[in-house]
Structures are given as structure tokens and as C-alpha cells.
């Protein structure tokens, strides 16, 4: 038998050592939290011989009597993982103990720290106590680890278990190149001083290791206990039902305590070694470790290995196994296989680890970049900068941006509809009496075609506002009633004034509706712009403050705009115009239109049509007589009409409508633009500065509070930064690999 601990001088030892060393350096970075690193996890039930197995592989003596003793249940469940890293060197034997701190006392992730726990040990006799103290430090994170290094003890540990772990870096001439993690033994019950929930806590800790695809599960099964009753076996099968992850393909079973098999049951355990039951991809192994009496007498590692060899060589059914199955007996065979498989897995996984590391690093960097900016060192300057950028974008949008969803483009939809609705209030005069009107067809006002679009909504929907028909006899009756001391051929202006007032009364509602729609557009656009510049700041207080300031400012602007619209409506209730030519032009047009309608249904269309042959002949005949006139003056040649007074009133009112509705539409739209849209900028800077108090005494503290980020964001940032640090450190280690 090889006299060294584990496996020394293996094939390709230098390459294997480099791979295992790389794995250890990667684990030191804490990157195993982010990517799946190959490892060997030793698991088993309480008292399954796991400690003895680890001692036989590492050559160490583990704590067994107090503190974190693995024999006493109340202390066992207050354990942490222990990682053993064995390296074959030509130097003297040394052991370096370190604490790996990845979580705080609540189990929350922290920036990984590797804390040396004392000086390097050169005597194996000192290791047991050093491990006990290190485990005690892990389980009491609120206490300075140096206190435990100096020998401090506690009556009750602060935590039952921890995901932080102790690592033992052991090097020497008689060591194998191997690395594994010893996990707390699974328990089924606790004593009086134990905690029931610790059963599940220990199980969850074990599962957090063995559920990883690259974890080599080393399952210890004690032969003194019924195979089916060992929880570790069921847990291993649950996470690897086909046995593909047992050593060989990631999962091996190790039978311990074969000297305690009840008489007559030896063959049932030998069938496992022959892979006849519970077959594994690389078979089961069996080891024999010293008993408690041997340990009490101070048996050496070499004596234990010689004792193991004698047991398997002379004890049935083990000594009767075929030569092939003899390779699955003894600790040295198991250690050799573990070393080979771990190195092979690391080599095979290296390209995947590198790809996974770069991918996870990119995602982490993107997640960090997606977080709101870090709180600035100069919060006042940053607040002023953000306000300036907000004002600049707001000013650009108010001035107009060439885009489909621009502010002015969205407002224009409502102003265009407003114009159509006001246009639809035009008085609908009918130049016939009501009883005869059904005999006639009112021709289109073709002379308006060049300046008026069809009175439909944006989606060809009829405009809601319409005017009822006003017949000629109603106009005549109103004129007669209104006449007092006037001459018979004179019509009081009050008649026209009343008709004008009637349609002006219809204008306030569409004007108000239009402004309300523009107000909603402004409010939504402002909210979006505020969100863009302020929503990511701090805990949301600045965002809410700016929204409130903007809302108050917008409401003040809206009040001024509504007052202006009210004023414009009042102006239109007092009919007047100095646009005489425009008014007279349309009065003559409508006078000829209404008079020609009463003469003939077809005459108006003929008069206003371009290049009508009949009209052209009349015009040519008049020219030969020396009479020069315009086409629209031809209705004056028609015979006199008894309803002429009514026709004149109709023409006058309708002509004034053309003047007033365009003036009103322009006035309202310009007022909305001046007071509400452009008016947003006036006084906004002062409102924001005063409301946010970004200047003056105490501005530094107020702005700092404005940028204070939520605890969740700060925690997420710290978590991502720690993750990026781990991944960057791991990337550096991978770059240094030269095989």
C-alpha cells in the first residue's frame, strides 16, 4: 500500500495540481455564488462515519468532543461547511486556516472576505483545536474572530448554522492533489438543547451544495444502519435520481463501518460493491476506518491504513470479491478516483465556466447600468443641472418638435376640431317660407369652397354642433317686431344683433372643451417629461415635488387662459368689425346667393359655376351693350322681391359670421397658445427653484436628501457591485491559467 496520505505522485500531477489550484482560487473569490464550480461535497447522516472518512483522506483529526463536535447532536447542528484543499508539494507539512465570509449574521449576501485565522500551522496536533475555534467564530459572526482565535468560548452560539465556511489549505510531501467540502451531517431528531427547525436548516444547507450540476456528491452510508433508512441516500437520489452524479459521473457512494455489519447481512452490502443493487455510474466504494477505541489509543494514519488493508484482505465477503471489485475497496482507491474525477470535471468545465462567467458578468454590468445614477457628490450642482435639462426639453417641446407625438401636433388635433365646431354654428338661413321649403333644394355655397373644408370630424364623423333652420318669414317677422320709429325701408340693427348673439352663445362650450383637451395634453406631456428627468432620482420625493409644483403652475396658467377665453366670448357679443372689405364682400356674395335661390333652384349653381356657357353668353351680351359688371352682380338684375328685407338681414348676419368666427377661432387658439402653452415657461424657473429650495441656506442638505436613493436600490447596487467584483476577480484568475 502507498504509505502517503491519499494519492501522491499521480499521473499528470502537475496539470492536475494547476487545475485544482485554479478551482481553489476561484472559490476564494466567492464566485461560486454566481456560477457553478466543480466541487466534491461529502454528505451523510449523523454518525455515518463521515468524519473518519475525511480524516483518512486528509490525515487530520477533526473536532469530536465539544464546541462543534460531530458526535453530539446539539453541537453538530451548529456547524458550518469545512473545505479541505490538499496539495502535494516538496515542502514541509503546513496547514493554513481561513474564514470565508459571504453572508452576514442574517444570511444576507455581503462582499466576500477571506480572513486568515491565525498563523500557518506546522504541527498536525494543533489543527483540531484551531478548526474548533474557527467554526466557533463562523457561528458567532457578531464577535471578533480574534477572540475565538485566542480561545474564547460561548455558552450558546449566535446561529445554528452558517453558509460561511472554514477552509483548510494543507500542503506537504505526503498529500494528494484534492479538494472537497465537508457538509454538516443530516439529522433526524435533536436533543433537549437542540432546535427542531435545525433539522430543516441543515438539510437546506446540504441541498444548496448538492443541487448544483457540477457538484460531485460523495455519499457516506454506514453499514451498521439499514440502507433504506439513511436520509442522505434519499436526498442524493432526489437530486440525482439516475446516479449519474456519483463519482465517475458526479455521484459516488461510500460504505463505512463494514466491521459493524450484523452477522449474516454481509452479502447484501457486498452486492452494492458489485453494483447489483442501487447501481451507480462508477460503482460503490467501501472503506474501513479506526474505531473509537483505536482513536483513543492514538492510532496513526499509517497504522489505520495498514489495519484497513488487513481487514479487506482477510474478511469475507470482501476478500472473496473478484479482482475487479477489489479496486473499489480501501481509502486509497477512493481518494485516487476522487482526485481524477475532480480534475477531469474541472478541465471539461473550464470553457463552460469561462463562457458562463462572461455572460453573467455582462448581465450584472447591464443590471447595474440600468439602476438610477449613484447619488452625486455635489447634489446642488446636480439638481440645477437636471432642472436645466428639464427646462431645455420642455422649451423645445413648446417651440415644436418634428415628430408624430410632438406637443404641438397633439394640440393641433383639438384646435382643428374646435374650428370645425365653431364653423358648424353658422346660422342656417332658408330663403323660402317654411311651407314651400320642401319644394326647393338649397344649393351649395360654392363660393366658400376655397376657404372651408367639409364640416366633419377627424374620423369623418359629423360635427356634433348643428344650427336649426331659420326660414325667411321668421326673419321678416322679427324685423317687423323690432321696428319702432324707423322708416318702412329701414331695419333696426337689433335684428342682426340678436341673430349674432344667438350663435355666439354657442361658442363658449366648444372653446371650453377645446381648452380642457389641450390642458389634458399639456398635463400628460409635462408628466412624461417630469418622469423622464426626475423619476429615477432618490426615493421619489423630488419627482413628487416637481409634479406638484408643475401642477400648481399649470393650474395658474389654465385659470388665466380661461379668463382670456371668457373675455373673447364677451367681445363677440358686441358685434363690430373694421374689416369692411371682407364683410361687404361676403355680404354681397350671400345677398346674391339668397336672391338667386328664390328666383330659381338652378340659378345659384349656374352663377357661381366656372365657365358656365349660359352665364358667359349673358356676360357677353351685356358687354356688347356697354355694360360692364361682375358675375356675382347678376342677381341684382333679377326682379324685386317682397322678402328683400329678410334677404338683406340674412346676408348681413351670414357675412358677419364669416368675419367673426374666424376672428374668434384665431383669438381663442392664439390665447391658448400664448397663455397656456408658451405661458408654461413664464415663471416656471422661479416656481421650481422656490418650490424645491435648491438655493439658499440648507440647500446642500435638502438636495442631498432629494438624491438619497431607496434602501432597495442601494441594496441592489451593493449586491451587483459585489457580484461584479467577484466575477472580475474570477476572470483575472482564469486569465492566469496556463496549462
Amino acid at each position: 500500500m502507498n504509505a502517503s496520505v491519499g494519492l501522491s505522485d499521480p499521473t499528470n500531477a502537475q496539470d492536475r495540481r494547476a487545475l485544482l489550484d485554479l478551482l481553489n482560487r476561484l472559490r476564494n473569490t466567492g464566485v461560486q455564488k454566481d456560477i457553478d464550480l466543480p466541487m466534491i461535497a461529502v454528505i451523510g447522516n449523523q454518525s455515518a462515519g463521515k468524519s473518519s472518512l475525511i480524516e483518512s483522506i486528509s490525515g487530520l483529526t477533526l473536532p469530536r468532543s465539544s464546541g462543534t463536535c460531530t458526535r453530539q447532536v446539539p453541537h453538530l447542528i451548529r456547524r458550518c461547511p469545512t473545505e479541505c484543499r490538499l496539495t502535494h508539494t516538496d515542502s514541509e507539512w503546513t496547514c493554513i486556516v481561513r474564514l470565508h465570509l459571504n453572508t452576514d449574521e442574517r444570511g444576507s449576501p455581503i462582499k466576500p472576505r477571506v480572513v486568515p485565522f491565525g498563523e500557518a500551522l506546522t504541527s498536525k496536533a494543533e489543527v483540531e483545536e484551531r478548526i474548533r475555534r474557527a467554526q466557533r467564530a463562523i457561528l458567532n459572526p457578531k464577535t471578533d474572530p480574534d477572540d475565538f482565535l485566542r480561545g474564547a468560548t460561548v455558552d450558546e452560539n449566535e446561529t445554528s448554522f452558517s453558509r460561511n465556511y472554514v477552509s483548510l489549505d494543507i500542503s506537504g510531501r505526503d498529500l494528494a492533489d484534492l479538494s472537497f467540502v465537508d457538509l454538516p451531517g443530516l439529522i433526524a431528531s435533536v436533543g433537549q438543547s437542540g432546535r427542531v427547525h435545525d433539522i430543516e436548516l441543515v438539510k437546506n444547507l446540504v441541498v444548496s451544495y448538492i443541487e448544483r450540476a457540477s457538484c460531485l456528491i460523495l455519499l457516506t452510508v454506514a453499514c451498521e444502519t439499514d440502507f433504506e433508512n439513511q436520509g442522505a441516500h434519499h436526498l442524493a437520489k432526489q437530486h440525482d435520481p439516475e446516479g449519474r452524479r456519483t463519482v465517475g459521473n458526479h455521484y459516488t457512494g461510500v460504505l463505512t463501518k463494514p466491521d459493524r455489519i450484523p452477522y449474516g447481512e454481509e452479502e447484501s452490502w457486498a452486492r452494492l460493491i458489485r453494483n447489483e443493487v442501487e447501481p451507480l455510474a462508477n460503482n460503490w466504494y467501501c472503506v474501513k476506518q479506526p474505531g473509537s477505541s483505536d482513536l483513543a489509543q492514538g492510532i496513526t494514519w499509517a497504522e489505520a491504513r495498514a489495519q484497513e488493508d488487513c481487514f479487506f484482505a482477510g474478511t469475507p465477503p470482501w476478500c472473496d470479491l473478484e479482482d475487479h471489485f477489489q479496486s473499489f475497496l480501501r481509502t486509497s482507491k477512493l481518494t485516487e478516483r476522487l482526485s481524477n474525477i475532480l480534475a477531469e470535471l474541472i478541465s471539461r468545465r473550464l470553457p463552460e465556466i469561462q463562457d458562463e462567467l462572461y455572460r453573467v458578468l455582462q448581465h450584472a454590468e447591464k443590471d447595474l447600468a440600468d439602476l438610477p445614477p449613484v447619488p452625486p457628490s455635489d447634489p446642488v450642482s446636480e439638481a440645477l443641472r437636471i432642472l436645466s435639462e428639464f427646462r431645455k426639453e420642455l422649451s423645445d417641446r413648446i417651440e415644436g418638435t418634428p415628430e408624430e407625438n410632438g406637443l404641438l401636433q397633439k394640440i393641433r388635433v383639438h384646435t382643428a376640431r374646435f374650428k370645425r365646431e365653431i364653423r358648424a354654428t353658422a346660422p342656417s338661413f332658408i330663403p323660402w317660407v317654411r311651407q314651400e321649403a320642401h319644394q326647393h333644394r338649397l344649393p351649395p355655397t360654392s363660393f366658400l369652397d376655397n376657404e372651408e373644408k367639409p364640416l366633419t370630424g377627424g374620423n369623418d364623423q359629423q360635427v356634433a354642433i348643428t344650427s336649426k333652420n331659420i326660414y325667411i318669414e321668421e326673419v321678416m317677422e322679427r324685423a317687423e317686431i323690432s321696428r319702432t320709429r324707423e322708416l318702412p325701408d329701414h331695419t333696426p340693427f337689433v335684428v342682426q344683433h340678436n341673430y349674432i348673439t344667438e350663435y355666439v352663445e354657442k361658442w363658449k362650450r366648444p372653446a371650453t372643451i377645446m381648452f380642457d383637451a389641450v390642458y389634458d395634453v399639456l398635463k400628460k406631456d409635462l408628466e412624461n417629461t417630469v418622469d423622464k428627468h426626475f423619476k429615477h432620482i432618490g426615493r421619489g420625493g423630488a419627482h413628487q415635488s416637481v409634479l406638484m409644483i408643475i401642477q400648481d403652475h399649470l393650474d395658474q396658467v389654465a385659470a388665466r387662459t380661461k379668463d382670456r377665453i371668457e373675455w373673447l366670448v364677451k367681445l363677440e357679443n358686441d358685434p363690430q368689425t373694421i374689416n369692411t372689405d371682407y364683410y361687404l364682400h361676403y355680404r354681397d356674395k350671400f345677398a346674391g346667393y339668397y336672391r338667386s335661390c328664390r328666383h330659381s333652384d338652378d340659378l345659384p349653381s349656374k352663377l357661381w359655376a366656372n365657365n358656365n356657357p349660359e352665364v358667359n353668353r349673358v356676360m357677353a351680351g351685356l358687354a356688347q351693350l356697354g355694360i360692364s359688371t361682375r358675375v356675382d352682380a347678376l342677381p341684382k338684375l333679377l326682379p324685386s322681391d317682397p322678402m328683400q328685407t329678410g334677404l338683406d338681414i340674412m346676408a348681413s348676419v351670414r357675412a358677419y359670421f364669416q368675419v367673426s368666427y374666424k376672428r374668434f377661432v384665431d383669438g381663442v387658439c392664439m390665447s391658448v397658445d400664448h397663455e397656456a402653452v408658451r405661458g408654461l415657461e413664464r415663471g416656471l424657473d422661479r416656481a421650481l427653484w422656490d418650490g424645491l429650495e435648491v438655493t439658499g441656506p440648507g440647500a446642500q442638505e435638502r438636495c442631498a436628501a432629494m438624491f438619497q436613493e431607496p434602501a432597495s436600490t442601494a441594496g441592489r447596487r451593493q449586491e451587483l457591485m459585489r457580484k461584479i467584483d467577484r466575477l472580475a476577480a474570477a476572470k483575472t484568475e482564469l486569465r492566469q491559467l496556463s496549462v
Side-chain angles (χ1 to χ4, degrees):
M1 180 183 71
N2 195 322
S4 63
V5 177
L7 174 67
S8 63
D9 193 24
T11 305
N12 300 322
Q14 184 175 356
D15 292 348
R16 179 180 302 159
R17 192 169 304 126
L19 290 171
L20 294 175
D21 182 59
L22 171 64
L23 177 63
N24 292 335
R25 295 200 311 271
L26 289 176
R27 289 184 59 80
N28 283 341
T29 68
V31 78
Q32 63 270 24
K33 291 173 59 66
D34 312 300
I35 60 177
D36 187 13
L37 294 180
M39 70 173 73
I40 296 175
V42 185
I43 70 170
N45 282 36
Q46 175 199 0
S47 301
K50 187 163 59 67
S51 296
S52 297
L53 173 64
I54 292 172
E55 288 176 344
S56 68
I57 294 176
S58 65
L60 298 176
T61 300
L62 299 180
R64 289 179 178 273
S65 58
S66 63
T68 55
C69 173
T70 63
R71 293 292 183 184
Q72 298 178 11
V73 175
H75 297 293
L76 167 67
I77 59 178
R78 293 166 175 80
R79 288 198 57 192
C80 61
T82 302
E83 183 171 329
C84 296
R85 304 169 179 179
L86 312 180
T87 305
H88 175 79
T89 65
D90 293 330
S91 58
E92 294 296 326
W93 185 95
T94 59
C95 176
I96 300 174
V97 181
R98 295 185 177 92
L99 308 180
H100 294 254
L101 308 177
N102 301 315
T103 63
D104 59 18
E105 63 274 9
R106 296 181 301 274
S108 301
I110 61 173
K111 183 176 182 178
R113 290 190 301 130
V114 180
V115 180
F117 194 72
E119 299 295 329
L121 301 175
T122 57
S123 171
K124 295 181 181 179
E126 299 176 355
V127 174
E128 179 180 358
E129 181 59 26
R130 179 69 60 85
I131 295 174
R132 179 180 289 111
R133 296 180 181 185
Q135 292 178 338
R136 195 175 294 137
I138 289 289
L139 297 174
N140 296 276
K142 295 181 180 179
T143 306
D144 187 346
D146 288 341
D147 291 349
F148 294 110
L149 180 62
R150 290 188 291 266
T153 60
V154 293
D155 294 331
E156 181 75 14
N157 291 318
E158 296 171 11
T159 181
S160 297
F161 79 102
S162 176
R163 295 180 187 275
N164 296 328
Y165 62 94
V166 177
S167 71
L168 310 176
D169 285 279
I170 308 169
S171 59
R173 297 186 182 91
D174 296 331
L175 294 175
D177 293 311
L178 184 60
S179 177
F180 56 88
V181 178
D182 174 26
L183 297 176
L186 295 172
I187 53 177
S189 62
V190 294
Q192 293 181 353
S193 60
R195 306 174 188 174
V196 174
H197 76 283
D198 288 340
I199 297 175
E200 192 66 22
L201 294 180
V202 173
K203 177 182 176 182
N204 291 339
L205 174 62
V206 172
V207 169
S208 70
Y209 277 80
I210 68 175
E211 67 182 356
R212 303 173 187 177
S214 293
C215 177
L216 310 175
I217 304 173
L218 183 58
L219 170 65
T220 56
V221 175
C223 294
E224 63 179 346
T225 305
D226 183 69
F227 183 87
E228 293 298 331
N229 292 332
Q230 304 202 34
H233 168 247
H234 294 292
L235 195 62
K237 287 196 67 174
Q238 179 182 343
H239 292 275
D240 181 21
E242 297 181 2
R244 301 295 297 173
R245 288 172 49 203
T246 320
V247 168
N249 269 330
H250 307 262
Y251 168 20
T252 195
V254 182
L255 305 181
T256 64
K257 304 180 182 182
D259 53 323
R260 298 186 184 181
I261 298 176
Y263 180 77
E265 296 181 8
E266 295 87 353
E267 181 57 27
S268 64
W269 294 100
R271 294 184 63 195
L272 286 169
I273 298 299
R274 289 194 293 266
N275 227 21
E276 294 173 354
V277 294
E278 297 291 338
L280 298 177
N282 199 53
N283 222 296
W284 287 79
Y285 286 76
C286 187
V287 297
K288 163 70 172 65
Q289 309 304 341
S292 56
S293 59
D294 295 327
L295 294 173
Q297 295 175 11
I299 187 173
T300 66
W301 183 89
E303 291 171 345
R305 300 285 69 74
Q307 187 183 87
E308 177 186 40
D309 189 58
C310 291
F311 175 81
F312 285 118
T315 305
W318 315 110
C319 61
D320 299 328
L321 292 173
E322 295 86 343
D323 290 345
H324 168 66
F325 297 117
Q326 289 291 329
S327 62
F328 302 128
L329 306 178
R330 299 174 179 80
T331 303
S332 60
K333 299 297 184 181
L334 172 63
T335 307
E336 179 180 4
R337 187 56 182 157
L338 291 174
S339 183
N340 287 335
I341 290 301
L342 182 58
E344 290 171 6
L345 181 59
I346 297 171
S347 179
R348 187 168 63 252
R349 278 276 293 151
L350 266 181
E352 300 171 3
I353 290 174
Q354 186 171 15
D355 291 344
E356 187 176 351
L357 188 148
Y358 275 84
R359 184 173 63 256
V360 173
L361 180 59
Q362 287 178 347
H363 287 168
E365 290 173 340
K366 180 181 182 302
D367 290 344
L368 182 62
D370 290 341
L371 289 178
V374 179
S377 57
D378 186 353
V380 173
S381 296
E382 182 65 11
L384 294 175
R385 183 191 67 79
I386 293 174
L387 284 171
S388 177
E389 290 183 353
F390 167 72
R391 284 285 288 108
K392 174 65 168 59
E393 180 169 353
L394 179 59
S395 180
D396 289 343
R397 292 191 67 76
I398 288 173
E399 188 61 30
T401 54
E403 56 180 335
E404 181 180 358
N405 291 322
L407 176 62
L408 299 187
Q409 287 85 338
K410 289 186 285 189
I411 290 176
R412 189 176 300 134
V413 173
H414 301 289
T415 55
R417 180 175 179 83
F418 166 66
K419 178 182 178 181
R420 293 193 298 270
E421 290 181 341
I422 297 299
R423 172 69 179 84
T425 64
S428 179
F429 290 116
I430 306 299
W432 304 287
V433 297
R434 184 185 297 270
Q435 292 179 349
E436 298 176 358
H438 68 280
Q439 301 173 6
H440 304 277
R441 179 176 57 85
L442 191 66
T445 52
S446 55
F447 55 88
L448 297 179
D449 287 348
N450 292 333
E451 56 181 279
E452 301 295 349
K453 295 182 179 179
L455 302 183
T456 58
N459 295 321
D460 293 331
Q461 296 174 345
Q462 189 65 36
V463 176
I465 298 178
T466 57
S467 296
K468 69 176 183 177
N469 292 336
I470 305 173
Y471 296 92
I472 186 68
E473 74 270 21
E474 297 173 5
V475 178
M476 291 295 292
E477 181 180 355
R478 183 175 291 193
E480 182 63 26
I481 293 173
S482 301
R483 189 165 62 85
T484 56
R485 298 180 183 275
E486 293 86 0
L487 295 175
D489 62 343
H490 183 79
T491 304
F493 177 66
V494 68
V495 180
Q496 287 94 325
H497 188 283
N498 288 339
Y499 280 122
I500 291 170
T501 301
E502 287 176 5
Y503 70 68
V504 168
E505 288 178 352
K506 301 176 182 178
W507 288 357
K508 183 177 180 180
R509 182 171 179 272
T512 302
I513 291 174
M514 182 272 288
F515 174 69
D516 288 344
V518 171
Y519 176 90
D520 290 341
V521 170
L522 287 172
K523 182 180 179 182
K524 184 63 177 178
D525 198 81
L526 280 170
E527 289 174 349
N528 290 339
T529 308
V530 170
D531 288 351
K532 177 179 177 181
H533 291 272
F534 295 95
K535 196 166 187 178
H536 65 279
I537 294 177
R539 299 181 176 181
H543 177 248
Q544 289 300 320
S545 295
V546 172
L547 281 177
M548 292 175 63
I549 294 169
I550 290 292
Q551 184 65 61
D552 290 344
H553 186 69
L554 180 59
D555 288 344
Q556 294 172 12
V557 166
R560 292 197 299 268
T561 306
K562 289 180 178 180
D563 289 343
R564 178 62 61 177
I565 292 174
E566 289 273 3
W567 180 77
L568 289 171
V569 173
K570 290 179 181 179
L571 282 183
E572 294 300 337
N573 278 302
D574 183 17
Q576 55 182 297
T577 181
I578 60 172
N579 195 354
T580 307
D581 291 341
Y582 192 75
Y583 166 73
L584 292 177
H585 170 74
Y586 273 106
R587 189 197 64 179
D588 292 344
K589 289 278 189 181
F590 278 106
Y593 171 76
Y594 290 133
R595 190 174 184 188
S596 62
C597 285
R598 287 180 59 78
H599 186 271
S600 171
D601 290 348
D602 297 329
L603 182 56
S605 59
K606 293 178 180 179
L607 289 177
W608 313 126
N610 293 326
N611 297 320
N612 185 281
E614 297 181 28
V615 175
N616 290 340
R617 285 197 298 272
V618 172
M619 295 298 293
L622 291 174
Q624 290 176 358
L625 295 174
I627 301 174
S628 178
T629 185
R630 302 190 313 272
V631 173
D632 56 4
L634 290 180
K636 295 179 180 180
L637 301 178
L638 296 172
S640 61
D641 193 315
M643 297 289 189
Q644 188 61 48
T645 298
L647 295 176
D648 290 342
I649 294 172
M650 292 163 59
S652 174
V653 173
R654 191 62 182 80
Y656 184 74
F657 177 84
Q658 292 299 118
V659 174
S660 60
Y661 104 84
K662 293 179 180 179
R663 179 177 62 202
F664 181 72
V665 168
D666 278 344
V668 170
C669 291
M670 291 176 68
S671 295
V672 169
D673 184 63
H674 178 75
E675 296 291 347
V677 183
R678 291 187 181 276
L680 277 173
E681 294 191 272
R682 292 191 290 273
L684 181 59
D685 283 338
R686 176 52 55 192
L688 287 170
W689 283 40
D690 292 348
L692 295 175
E693 297 182 292
V694 294
T695 57
Q700 186 76 16
E701 292 76 14
R702 288 191 295 273
C703 290
M706 181 190 305
F707 288 101
Q708 186 175 3
E709 60 186 357
S712 58
T713 302
R716 177 62 174 160
R717 188 188 310 281
Q718 293 176 2
E719 177 187 347
L720 288 171
M721 291 177 66
R722 289 193 295 264
K723 184 175 184 178
I724 290 172
D725 288 343
R726 294 193 300 266
L727 294 166
K731 185 169 70 172
T732 300
E733 297 294 350
L734 283 174
R735 285 176 176 172
Q736 295 177 357
L737 178 65
S738 176
V739 207

